[in-house]
Amino acid sequence: MKVVKAIAILAVAAGLSYGADVPVGNPEYEATKTGMPTTLEILNVGDVVFKEDGTVEIPFTLEGCGATVYLVVYTKDKGQEIGSVVKQLDIPGGLFVKNNVDTLIYVSQGEWFDEGSHTIVWNGKDKEGNPVSPEEEYTYYLIGVNDKDDPTWVGIGNFPFEIVTSVEPPIIYARGEDSDHICRCVYGTDWLTTPEAYQEFTCISPSNVSMGLEVDPNDPDVLYVPVGGWGSGPEGGVAKCRIEGDELVLIEDFGDAGFAFFDVMDEDVYDTVRYWNGLIFVGWDNRYAEPQSSHIIVGDAETGEYKYTIDLPLFVSEGGAYGPTGIDVDDTGIYCVGHGSPYVFKIDHEGNLIWVNGNGDGFNDKQYDDLTYTAGDYGPGVYTYRICAGKYGFAYAVHGGTIFSALVAVYGPDGSGLFFINPEKNELMWPWDATVIDEEGPYDGLYWHCSPFEGEAVWPTDQKILHIPLDVEKGTIKPAKLAVEEVEDVRPTEPSLSDAYPNPFNTRTVIEFALTDGAHTRLEVFDSSGRLVRVLVDEELGAGLYRVSWDGRDERGEEVSSGVYCYRIVSGGFSEAKKVVFLK
């Protein structure tokens, strides 16, 4: 790979004014804990079953520290479209979810648990208080966050910032003292005793890191930086640079001598750049044009070759809202937020809508003085600059508001707003940038940029990257186990398997069997092709007369097709099979 040294020219980004912003944090608190942070693991999470009363007991273990734990329950393989189809100019009130996305059933109030083993009990009711069907399967998630203990000050730098965990120890990149500087530091440094333990590089004009910065996952010394922006620079695009010693140099064989996309992007704002699967995705909005529009430019990360443009729905930039100021990309799609936009949304890699949160639930909606929210209202109220894609399709977005602010708002796999994270111990600040790492490793957790809300920030010690432990795990809630009922306390003279009744059936059929000796007993149902459909009994039973029922569902809790099914019992040396017909 050829590189060419570039002449560094200082540039000044235009300032912004945000009105009566509401900070988060405690003005009396100062984060002073440095070094390597504590991490949280949620262990022993697995499949659970409904109890006879319709409740569910979910055991788990917290290792590393205590945490506030949230239980989130979703449908399983039951994706459906809810709300109305998105129109070209607006979204009707309500959550829009594509029909292959499972939907939220229930989310608990967070409850603090100390380190150790615990159990959460779900009452089996949805968020409206209605009992759910105990004969279906559900996916549940446990989200734990230590929002009570001191955060760990792991790095320094302005927003935006990126953490590279592929090297040991990790490296943190961030905007430097000014928007035309990039800061690099080593994760976990003792910043109280060595506040100058960082490097700072001058950006290559006309690039700047006002809002965007990305690290190449294949090379921690290679960066992608937006070019121009804020209506003051030349035509925009992306620069690809490499750090060599104390200098930042352009990679010449990327685009046109290190710059790409000048020919497809106008001279407006280029906020975010993200890498995924050999491609880079660049958020671009025409906020100064008439009419406004919002786009994502997609290109080859190695060569800078332009691939295609995703034109985002007009609601993203209507009514004075800007977007996408923040995007993140994973294998399932692209997560997007906008400055002053009431919508958080997700699209696939070609731009097709997956979900939109615009339902007036208080998550990224326009705010009013009486703390009410209206679905689809445009304009200031919430300023969301960053969104992070998490494990299992969760998303984490900063939530700065003029009435209510939170450090991070958590969104579920269908875009539902779940809960807010506001650490009890945090300096008084304005939410700008946050990210979540959940790689099952020693650096997992929630990170955010923290700088003083009031007064002059002292560089670099007033520009902190803080960490608190966070983990997410999931399991399955299965239908209640079929109870084997002993009909009579007698010892039959011969083993037998009865005819199922009723037969045919469409809701439930009963099967009785007699055992003359105690043995491990297995009663199974097969379809006409011989495929195992359901295990009705699989346990040690003594001599006696027993009864069990089948509800016409398979092991996943899904209703089977109409047809003829074979049920077979094996107990010790006894084996017998019969047929039953299921009709929908």
Side-chain angles (χ1 to χ4, degrees):
M1 176 183 294
K2 293 189 297 182
V3 297
V4 56
K5 293 186 178 180
I7 299 175
I9 303 176
L10 299 182
V12 179
L16 296 176
S17 176
Y18 297 101
D21 302 329
V22 175
V24 297
N26 181 353
E28 305 299 323
Y29 180 78
E30 181 179 2
T32 58
K33 177 185 174 184
T34 61
M36 291 297 178
T38 299
T39 55
L40 169 69
E41 286 188 275
I42 304 178
L43 304 174
N44 302 324
V45 175
D47 293 348
V48 295
V49 298
F50 281 98
K51 299 177 68 176
E52 290 185 4
D53 61 0
T55 64
V56 181
E57 294 183 353
I58 301 174
F60 64 96
T61 300
L62 298 181
E63 187 172 285
C65 61
T68 299
V69 179
Y70 298 83
L71 169 65
V72 182
V73 181
Y74 269 79
T75 59
K76 187 174 189 297
D77 303 323
K78 296 281 187 181
Q80 57 182 325
E81 183 175 303
I82 61 176
S84 303
V85 175
V86 175
K87 297 180 181 179
Q88 182 67 11
L89 294 178
D90 68 290
I91 298 179
L95 195 73
F96 172 84
V97 182
K98 199 172 180 179
N99 60 10
N100 62 347
V101 177
D102 281 301
T103 51
L104 178 67
I105 296 294
Y106 171 81
V107 58
S108 72
Q109 298 291 324
E111 181 180 358
W112 177 266
F113 294 91
D114 292 328
E115 186 175 6
S117 296
H118 307 279
T119 298
I120 286 180
V121 178
W122 177 39
N123 63 7
K125 296 181 180 180
D126 63 19
K127 54 185 182 291
E128 282 79 35
N130 303 310
V132 303
S133 171
E135 296 182 350
E136 295 186 9
E137 284 195 354
Y138 302 87
T139 299
Y140 76 90
Y141 304 89
L142 294 181
I143 306 175
V145 55
N146 186 332
D147 52 5
K148 292 185 179 296
D149 294 337
D150 290 297
T152 304
W153 180 7
V154 298
I156 59 100
N158 214 319
F159 75 94
F161 68 91
E162 297 294 330
I163 302 174
V164 183
T165 60
S166 59
V167 296
E168 186 65 40
I171 296 171
I172 299 176
Y173 286 98
R175 189 176 80 178
E177 186 173 6
D178 301 301
S179 64
D180 53 4
H181 286 80
I182 291 175
C183 171
R184 181 172 73 171
C185 67
V186 175
Y187 183 108
T189 297
D190 183 351
W191 298 108
L192 292 175
T193 59
T194 55
E196 301 299 324
Y198 66 92
Q199 290 178 283
E200 199 166 17
F201 308 91
T202 303
C203 288
I204 299 158
S205 180
S207 59
N208 71 70
V209 283
S210 292
M211 299 294 283
L213 172 68
E214 179 69 308
V215 183
D216 192 312
N218 302 308
D219 189 336
D221 290 328
V222 173
L223 309 177
Y224 300 91
V225 184
V227 175
W230 302 109
S232 60
E235 293 182 355
V238 172
K240 186 176 182 180
C241 316
R242 174 184 292 278
I243 291 177
E244 292 190 352
D246 295 328
E247 295 186 88
L248 194 64
V249 299
L250 285 171
I251 297 177
E252 191 179 49
D253 53 6
F254 176 81
D256 182 7
F259 296 97
F261 311 145
F262 282 92
D263 55 341
V264 293
M265 298 174 71
D266 295 331
E267 50 178 293
D268 279 293
V269 179
Y270 325 104
D271 288 319
T272 308
V273 55
R274 284 289 179 260
Y275 181 106
W276 173 80
N277 198 30
L279 300 173
I280 51 174
F281 296 75
V282 187
W284 163 45
D285 72 82
N286 268 336
R287 68 179 61 176
Y288 302 110
E290 289 293 341
Q292 293 175 321
S293 61
S294 298
H295 317 270
I296 295 175
I297 306 298
V298 184
D300 187 282
E302 181 67 24
T303 66
E305 177 188 0
Y306 167 76
K307 294 295 186 181
Y308 58 94
T309 297
I310 297 173
D311 296 320
L312 298 178
L314 294 183
F315 65 75
V316 177
S317 55
E318 190 168 85
Y322 307 145
T325 48
I327 64 173
D328 204 3
V329 188
D330 65 9
D331 291 346
T332 66
I334 308 171
Y335 303 76
C336 304
V337 292
H339 170 94
S341 168
Y343 297 110
V344 178
F345 62 100
K346 181 180 179 181
I347 56 178
D348 65 24
H349 300 117
E350 284 71 47
N352 301 302
L353 203 58
I354 296 177
W355 57 252
V356 177
N357 182 312
N359 60 340
D361 60 0
F363 286 75
N364 217 65
D365 295 294
K366 182 176 179 180
Q367 301 174 354
Y368 296 91
D369 290 340
D370 60 357
L371 296 181
T372 59
Y373 309 92
T374 301
D377 267 9
Y378 298 107
V382 178
Y383 302 105
T384 304
Y385 300 102
R386 282 292 174 267
I387 189 167
C388 169
K391 190 166 66 173
Y392 304 133
F394 286 88
Y396 306 84
V398 295
H399 187 97
T402 57
I403 303 297
F404 165 73
S405 291
L407 178 62
V408 167
V410 182
Y411 296 86
D414 66 340
S416 292
L418 301 178
F419 58 90
F420 296 102
I421 298 176
N422 263 328
E424 291 185 7
K425 295 184 177 180
N426 188 18
E427 299 181 10
L428 191 69
M429 56 160 289
W430 169 257
W432 284 106
D433 195 4
T435 192
V436 167
I437 294 177
D438 197 348
E439 302 170 337
E440 308 292 337
Y443 308 110
D444 288 355
L446 169 64
Y447 297 82
W448 70 96
H449 163 259
C450 179
S451 63
F453 179 72
E454 298 174 328
E456 287 291 327
V458 177
W459 175 263
T461 53
D462 277 348
Q463 302 288 354
K464 301 175 180 178
I465 309 299
L466 301 181
H467 165 279
I468 56 174
L470 181 147
D471 193 22
V472 183
E473 293 300 336
K474 74 172 183 176
T476 300
I477 301 173
K478 292 181 173 290
K481 289 183 177 179
L482 297 170
V484 181
E485 177 187 359
E486 188 170 5
V487 181
E488 296 180 20
D489 187 14
V490 297
R491 189 183 185 95
T493 58
E494 59 180 0
S496 64
L497 178 66
S498 73
D499 294 330
Y501 63 92
N503 187 9
F505 77 102
N506 65 4
T507 56
R508 190 175 298 273
T509 189
V510 176
I511 301 169
E512 292 186 351
F513 56 93
L515 302 178
T516 56
D517 298 293
H520 185 89
T521 303
R522 188 173 174 90
L523 179 59
E524 303 166 312
V525 179
F526 300 86
D527 64 17
S528 57
S529 67
R531 181 181 63 88
L532 178 64
V533 172
R534 186 77 177 269
V535 178
L536 303 180
V537 180
D538 187 14
E539 58 185 284
E540 293 287 334
L541 294 176
L545 181 63
Y546 296 91
R547 177 187 298 136
V548 68
S549 63
W550 180 39
D551 58 4
R553 295 182 181 272
D554 61 18
E555 286 292 321
R556 296 181 300 174
E558 296 182 354
E559 192 174 64
V560 299
S561 302
S562 296
V564 178
Y565 292 84
C566 172
Y567 59 97
R568 182 185 66 185
I569 188 171
V570 176
S571 181
F574 170 63
S575 176
E576 189 173 355
K578 293 192 174 185
K579 294 180 179 179
V580 65
V581 177
F582 176 69
L583 298 176
K584 286 190 175 181

